[in-house]
Amino acid sequence: MLSLDTNQPLLLRRMARSRPGRPSRAATTSSAVAASLLAVLLALPYTACGDDATGPDGDAVISLPFEFVEDATGRIGFQLTGVNGTINVTGLSEGETFTVSGFRQIRECSQSAAEAWIDQLEVLVTPTPTTIIIQTDQPHNTSPCNLVVDYELTIPERLVGQIINVNGTITVDGLDERIFVTNVNGNVTLEDIEDDATVRLTNGNIVADVQIGDRESIDLLTVNGNVDLDIPTFTNALLSITVANGSIVVSNLTVQNEVSTATSLSGTLGTGEGTIILGTTNGNISLTGV
């Protein structure tokens, strides 16, 4: 089980910050859509509206929707642990509704095998006093069946987040608090993030748009893939970029005290209160001021 960092001074500092003038996101309208879908699925959240289909090779495809709605009032974060599938998280600027939806799917095997496994592929949602925990629970040794759970989360933007996945793309959009992402295979995209951002990736690209304040950090590392980060031109941070096989490009930013080699670049942006660490083994790194 993951543990959420609940260091009280840090949380109080983060939750006390205000961001005046920030417009409400268009994603707020998704709450109405979610409410409509919930009305349909409420009685049977795991089995209603399921689809059986045939894949391109004649194999069965079973896809069943799920949806859970929780009240995030008083909670400070969420944890999502997946296995195979896409994960999309959208932060909402209004409301305290936390919605988990998506599809459980069995692919690439016979109809009888797919039917045997679908009930054992579960999504577990466990609210605690401080955290909402979401987990994919699936059996082992299911070959040749491919078990997939695709997630869509709409959550209050103020929540701290931890996401762990094995195979699949991850997109996080519009959070005002810390986000930590670990993925093995699949691209990771961070959009409109306004706090600490950490990504650990093995195979895939990282594309990020992040704004940090003083004493906050951006830490993006992949093994095989590119790192592309956009930050405001007024960012204050110590900068460290490393590659093993690839190039480093810094654009529209003034780097003071710059020290660079063929595989590294370090220096200071602004007054240097924050930290930016970017790294890849095989790939290119691009840092751009916007």
Coordinates of all heavy atoms in Angstrom, one line a residue, residues 13 16 21 36-37 41 43 47 69 79 89 106 112 121 130 148 163 173 190 240 247 284 286:
R13 N 1.1 24.9 4.1 CA 1.7 25.9 3.2 C 1.1 25.8 1.8 O 0.7 26.8 1.2 CB 3.2 25.7 3.1 CG 3.8 26.6 2.0 CD 5.4 26.5 2.1 NE 5.8 25.2 1.7 CZ 5.9 24.8 0.4 NH1 5.6 25.6 -0.6 NH2 6.3 23.6 0.1
A16 N -2.7 26.8 1.7 CA -3.0 28.2 2.0 C -2.7 29.1 0.8 O -3.2 30.2 0.8 CB -2.1 28.6 3.2
G21 N -7.4 35.1 -9.9 CA -7.6 35.4 -11.4 C -7.5 34.2 -12.2 O -7.6 34.3 -13.4
S36 N -25.1 12.4 -15.2 CA -26.0 11.6 -16.1 C -25.7 10.2 -16.2 O -26.5 9.3 -16.2 CB -26.1 12.3 -17.5 OG -26.5 13.6 -17.4
L37 N -24.3 9.9 -16.4 CA -23.9 8.6 -16.6 C -24.1 7.8 -15.3 O -24.5 6.6 -15.3 CB -22.4 8.6 -17.0 CG -21.8 7.2 -17.2 CD1 -22.5 6.4 -18.3 CD2 -20.3 7.3 -17.5
L41 N -25.8 4.1 -14.4 CA -25.0 3.0 -13.9 C -25.1 2.7 -12.5 O -24.6 1.7 -12.0 CB -23.5 3.3 -14.2 CG -23.1 3.5 -15.7 CD1 -21.7 3.8 -15.8 CD2 -23.4 2.2 -16.5
A43 N -27.3 1.5 -10.3 CA -27.8 0.2 -9.8 C -26.7 -0.9 -10.0 O -26.6 -1.8 -9.2 CB -29.1 -0.2 -10.5
T47 N -21.6 -3.9 -14.2 CA -22.1 -4.8 -15.2 C -23.0 -4.2 -16.2 O -23.3 -4.8 -17.2 CB -22.8 -6.0 -14.6 OG1 -23.9 -5.6 -13.8 CG2 -21.8 -6.8 -13.7
V69 N -18.5 7.5 -7.4 CA -18.5 8.9 -7.1 C -18.3 9.0 -5.6 O -19.0 8.4 -4.8 CB -19.8 9.6 -7.5 CG1 -19.8 11.0 -7.1 CG2 -20.0 9.5 -9.0
Q79 N -4.7 8.1 -4.5 CA -3.6 7.2 -5.0 C -4.3 6.3 -6.0 O -5.3 5.7 -5.7 CB -3.1 6.4 -3.8 CG -2.4 7.3 -2.7 CD -2.1 6.5 -1.5 OE1 -2.4 5.3 -1.4 NE2 -1.7 7.1 -0.4
V89 N -6.5 12.0 -15.8 CA -6.9 12.7 -14.6 C -7.1 14.1 -14.9 O -6.2 14.8 -15.5 CB -5.9 12.5 -13.5 CG1 -6.4 13.3 -12.2 CG2 -5.6 11.0 -13.1
I106 N -11.5 -7.4 -21.4 CA -10.7 -8.6 -21.7 C -10.6 -8.7 -23.2 O -11.5 -8.6 -23.9 CB -11.5 -9.9 -21.2 CG1 -11.9 -9.7 -19.7 CG2 -10.6 -11.1 -21.3 CD1 -10.7 -9.6 -18.7
S112 N -15.0 -17.8 -24.3 CA -15.2 -18.5 -23.0 C -14.1 -18.1 -22.0 O -14.4 -18.0 -20.8 CB -15.1 -20.0 -23.3 OG -13.9 -20.4 -23.9
L121 N -11.6 -9.4 -12.8 CA -10.9 -8.1 -13.1 C -11.7 -7.0 -12.4 O -12.8 -6.6 -12.9 CB -10.8 -7.9 -14.6 CG -10.2 -6.5 -15.0 CD1 -8.7 -6.4 -14.5 CD2 -10.2 -6.4 -16.5
T130 N -8.3 10.6 4.9 CA -7.4 11.6 4.2 C -7.3 11.4 2.7 O -6.9 12.3 2.0 CB -6.0 11.7 4.8 OG1 -5.4 10.4 4.7 CG2 -6.1 12.0 6.3
V148 N -7.3 -5.3 -19.3 CA -7.1 -3.9 -19.4 C -8.1 -3.1 -18.6 O -9.3 -3.5 -18.6 CB -7.1 -3.4 -20.8 CG1 -6.9 -1.9 -20.9 CG2 -6.0 -4.1 -21.6
I163 N 0.3 8.3 -8.8 CA -0.2 7.4 -9.8 C 0.9 6.4 -10.1 O 2.0 6.8 -10.4 CB -0.6 8.1 -11.1 CG1 -1.8 9.1 -10.8 CG2 -1.1 7.1 -12.2 CD1 -2.1 10.0 -12.0
D173 N -4.1 16.6 -16.0 CA -4.4 18.0 -16.5 C -5.0 18.8 -15.4 O -6.1 18.4 -14.8 CB -5.4 17.9 -17.7 CG -5.7 19.2 -18.3 OD1 -5.0 20.2 -17.9 OD2 -6.5 19.3 -19.2
L190 N 1.8 15.9 -18.6 CA 1.4 16.7 -17.5 C 1.0 18.1 -18.1 O 1.9 18.7 -18.7 CB 2.4 16.9 -16.4 CG 3.1 15.7 -15.8 CD1 4.1 16.1 -14.8 CD2 2.0 14.8 -15.2
S240 N 19.3 21.4 -13.4 CA 20.2 20.3 -13.7 C 19.6 19.4 -14.8 O 18.5 18.8 -14.6 CB 20.4 19.5 -12.4 OG 21.3 18.3 -12.7
S247 N 20.5 14.9 -27.0 CA 20.8 16.3 -27.0 C 20.0 17.1 -26.0 O 19.0 16.6 -25.4 CB 20.5 16.9 -28.4 OG 19.1 16.8 -28.7
N284 N 16.2 12.9 -26.1 CA 16.6 14.3 -26.1 C 15.8 15.0 -25.0 O 14.7 14.6 -24.7 CB 16.3 14.9 -27.5 CG 17.0 14.2 -28.6 OD1 18.2 13.8 -28.5 ND2 16.3 13.9 -29.7
S286 N 14.3 18.9 -24.0 CA 14.0 20.2 -24.4 C 13.3 21.0 -23.3 O 12.3 20.5 -22.7 CB 13.0 20.2 -25.6 OG 12.6 21.5 -26.0

